[in-house]
Amino acid sequence: MSYSVNSVLSQIRSYQTQVSSAAVDAAADAPPSAALTTGLAEPATGQPSFTDTLRGALGAVNQSQHESGQLARAFEMGDPNADLAKVMVAAQHSQIAFKATVEIRNRLVQAYQDVMNMPL
């Protein structure tokens, strides 16, 4: 095996920090929430809407899971370009992305429930 366990763990940690830094960057680039008091506002020119951002994030998670599955199948079929370390890193990457997506969904549902339960 061309990678040691420590190397694989360090790659997984680097993916986790990349995902974390991407989430922080996305939160920093988000427009101010002043539009919440006036209803839905049009996004500024050149900035993607929330729907586009969410659709892109879900597409990226789907693509990551698809690529992980393909790499695992290639490894199972004996493809010399798919070693176990690559398969494990791809699987962990897609798992982290999926967990982050589920957590975001849970927080959005909780925020919706909080808003719906507010007294008028």
Side-chain angles (χ1 to χ4, degrees):
M1 189 156 96
S2 62
Y3 295 107
S4 68
V5 172
N6 290 331
S7 174
V8 172
L9 288 175
S10 68
Q11 288 177 351
I12 291 171
R13 288 185 186 112
S14 72
Y15 281 132
Q16 287 175 330
T17 57
Q18 288 174 0
V19 168
S20 298
S21 66
V24 169
D25 291 344
D29 293 340
S33 61
L36 292 177
T37 58
T38 60
L40 298 176
E42 287 293 318
T45 309
Q47 292 182 344
S49 68
F50 178 76
T51 304
D52 293 338
T53 303
L54 188 60
R55 186 174 290 131
L58 291 175
V61 170
N62 185 36
Q63 182 67 25
S64 174
Q65 289 181 332
H66 181 70
E67 289 173 359
S68 174
Q70 283 184 332
L71 192 57
R73 270 186 240 102
F75 178 75
E76 291 168 357
M77 300 298 272
D79 186 357
N81 293 331
D83 63 354
L84 182 59
K86 288 180 183 178
V87 172
M88 295 306 294
V89 168
Q92 288 297 316
H93 182 265
S94 66
Q95 183 180 20
I96 289 168
F98 182 73
K99 283 182 180 181
T101 303
V102 169
E103 186 63 31
I104 290 168
R105 188 240 11 210
N106 292 343
R107 290 182 186 218
L108 286 172
V109 168
Q110 183 63 44
Y112 174 77
Q113 290 173 344
D114 290 346
V115 168
M116 293 307 292
N117 291 330
M118 284 182 172
L120 294 176

